[in-house]
Amino acid sequence: MIKGRIVGTGSTTPKRILTNKELETIVDTTDEWITRRTGIKERRISSDGRGENTSDMATMASLRALEMAGISAETLDMIVVGTVTPDRQFPSVACFVQKALKASKAVAFDVSAGCSGFLYSLSVACNAIATGSCKNALVIGVERLSSVTNWEDRSTCVLLGDGAGAVVVTPTADRDGILSTHLGCDGNFWNLLYSSDGGSKIPEILDTVEGKPFHLKMEGSRLFKKAVSSLTNIAEAALKHHSLSSADVKLMIPHQANLRIIKAVAEKLSIPMDRVYTNIQKYGNTSSATIPIALDEANREGLLRAGDNVLLVTFGAGLTWGASVVNWSF
Ligand code: ACO
């Protein structure tokens, strides 16, 4: 059976670091509260004019992934981007990346699935590879959440950050590769996390808060409970599908929304925290980008070896969730 295999990873984050201490001067919060309730110490924020737009970051992460893979952009058949913060409503971020990379053979499109955008995109690419309609795919998770953040809402602005990660996926008939992806969704809970304006129903309201747009609305504590149960259930389903136990997981790379959520899920799955990758301390929640950034960092830190089982698991707006078991290839 043909399936996808990851042969290169790449990531990038903006230069500007926004620390918890700086946030103390913007909203009524403290470094102590943010660290204790979320695990976040700092996050990266894109600056205009520095090549840090969503599509710029997506392109940079992709170049790094392609370089690692030793694959030229001209050989790509597909570019799929998971994002909820595209440069523009249209065209897609993927089209800008296709242009920047000169990937003239590739079809390109975005997938909107909240923080689960990367795993949803990976699933689309893997299915295309399995059917033979695509050989080389580039899968990206990227967000510029700072562009939709209400900097007067302390319950959300302390959580979010910007960044991008990418993987190159090619076909394999061997044992390694992306063994499966498992996705879920429940639109009944859309109102736990949503964008308040900027769509066709409510076009962007520029004067909502003193001339500044604000879009992201979140009901944190209800989302917290949903996140723990959805992440745990989909991770268990993915492991069961392959008759794997938590002992078979070399590294779990979860969506980085809150360290307390990650610890609760790890405990429920009986995976000790020394086999759970976290970088939320440095980047906060970068939505679709958290998993590919973490995967790239773990890979470049030498934490992954050929044959290791890596469990990717995510949750986000929609509500959406997903998990994937990857038998690492290199
Ligand atoms: N600084 C200081 N105090 C704060 C802050 C802040 N930044 N934010 C909220 N508070 C206060 C609240 O006002 C409240 O005060 P009160 O008790 O006087 O009313 C108190 O802290 C507790 O607020 P809660 O919302 O109950 O705090 P909680 O422990 O639930 O933590 C948080 C909030 C961090 C948002 C948490 O609920 C969370 O992480 N939720 C899940 C988010 C999530 O899963 N996201 C995943 C998908 S979304 C995505 O990835 C983009």
Side-chain angles (χ1 to χ4, degrees):
M1 201 184 97
I2 301 296
K3 59 187 180 310
R5 123 198 303 168
I6 294 172
V7 293
T9 64
S11 64
T12 187
T13 53
K15 286 194 183 57
R16 163 98 167 91
I17 297 172
L18 178 62
T19 63
N20 290 351
K21 278 278 166 208
E22 278 180 274
L23 273 170
E24 289 180 359
T25 67
I26 299 172
V27 285
D28 180 17
T29 192
T30 60
D31 173 36
E32 191 276 330
W33 191 96
I34 303 170
T35 307
R36 186 164 44 84
R37 297 288 183 123
T38 72
I40 300 166
K41 294 299 287 183
E42 59 190 40
R43 69 287 294 143
R44 302 297 181 101
I45 303 294
S46 297
S47 308
D48 286 328
R50 276 207 194 151
E52 293 178 344
N53 288 324
T54 302
S55 63
D56 299 323
M57 292 190 287
T59 302
M60 179 56 71
S62 301
L63 285 168
R64 291 178 177 156
L66 286 164
E67 185 184 23
M68 184 184 287
I71 278 179
S72 77
E74 297 89 69
T75 68
L76 290 172
D77 305 302
M78 180 181 280
I79 300 173
V80 197
V81 179
T83 189
V84 292
T85 48
D87 291 3
R88 301 168 185 276
Q89 283 208 343
F90 58 89
S92 65
V93 173
C95 286
F96 289 119
V97 173
Q98 194 245 26
K99 173 183 180 288
L101 296 178
K102 299 189 175 65
S104 53
K105 258 181 47 185
V107 295
F109 54 96
D110 292 357
V111 169
S112 173
C115 304
S116 308
F118 176 75
L119 280 193
Y120 268 61
S121 300
L122 190 67
S123 176
V124 171
C126 285
N127 288 335
I129 286 172
T131 61
S133 66
C134 165
K135 194 166 162 245
N136 296 337
L138 179 63
V139 182
I140 303 165
V142 58
E143 300 294 357
R144 191 177 179 183
L145 289 177
S146 60
S147 68
V148 295
T149 298
N150 176 1
W151 291 102
E152 297 183 358
D153 176 8
R154 68 176 182 173
S155 68
T156 54
C157 75
V158 302
L159 306 174
L160 310 171
D162 302 335
V167 297
V168 177
V169 185
T170 61
T172 178
D174 298 335
R175 279 190 58 229
D176 67 322
I178 300 158
L179 303 186
S180 61
T181 51
H182 304 256
L183 306 177
C185 174
D186 189 347
N188 289 306
F189 294 98
W190 70 270
N191 56 354
L192 296 190
L193 177 60
Y194 63 98
S195 150
S196 61
D197 58 354
S200 61
K201 185 166 179 173
I202 309 175
E204 196 166 287
I205 305 163
L206 284 172
D207 60 353
T208 315
V209 177
E210 292 173 1
K212 285 167 264 168
F214 70 91
H215 305 310
L216 192 137
K217 301 252 190 190
M218 187 173 89
E219 234 188 276
S221 40
R222 282 184 71 198
L223 208 51
F224 191 104
K225 293 183 193 105
K226 281 271 170 203
V228 173
S229 58
S230 304
L231 286 162
T232 306
N233 293 343
I234 198 75
E236 281 174 347
L239 292 176
K240 193 172 169 205
H241 187 78
H242 300 287
S243 305
L244 295 171
S245 74
S246 52
D248 299 313
V249 176
K250 177 70 190 307
L251 195 66
M252 175 165 81
I253 300 185
H255 174 47
Q256 313 276 312
N258 186 319
L259 193 59
R260 285 159 52 218
I261 293 176
I262 294 173
K263 284 183 173 168
V265 172
E267 193 180 329
K268 282 177 185 293
L269 294 173
S270 303
I271 299 179
M273 281 304 288
D274 62 0
R275 287 195 274 126
V276 178
Y277 193 85
T278 64
N279 58 11
I280 190 170
Q281 305 82 348
K282 294 188 288 180
Y283 305 128
N285 181 347
T286 59
S287 186
S288 291
T290 66
I291 287 183
I293 292 174
L295 185 62
D296 182 48
E297 291 198 340
N299 187 24
R300 287 175 195 266
E301 286 166 23
L303 299 181
L304 305 176
R305 295 267 177 272
D308 287 348
N309 288 317
V310 185
L311 175 64
L312 311 177
V313 59
T314 193
F315 172 82
L319 299 178
T320 57
W321 54 88
S324 179
V325 180
V326 181
N327 189 266
W328 200 248
S329 301
F330 60 103

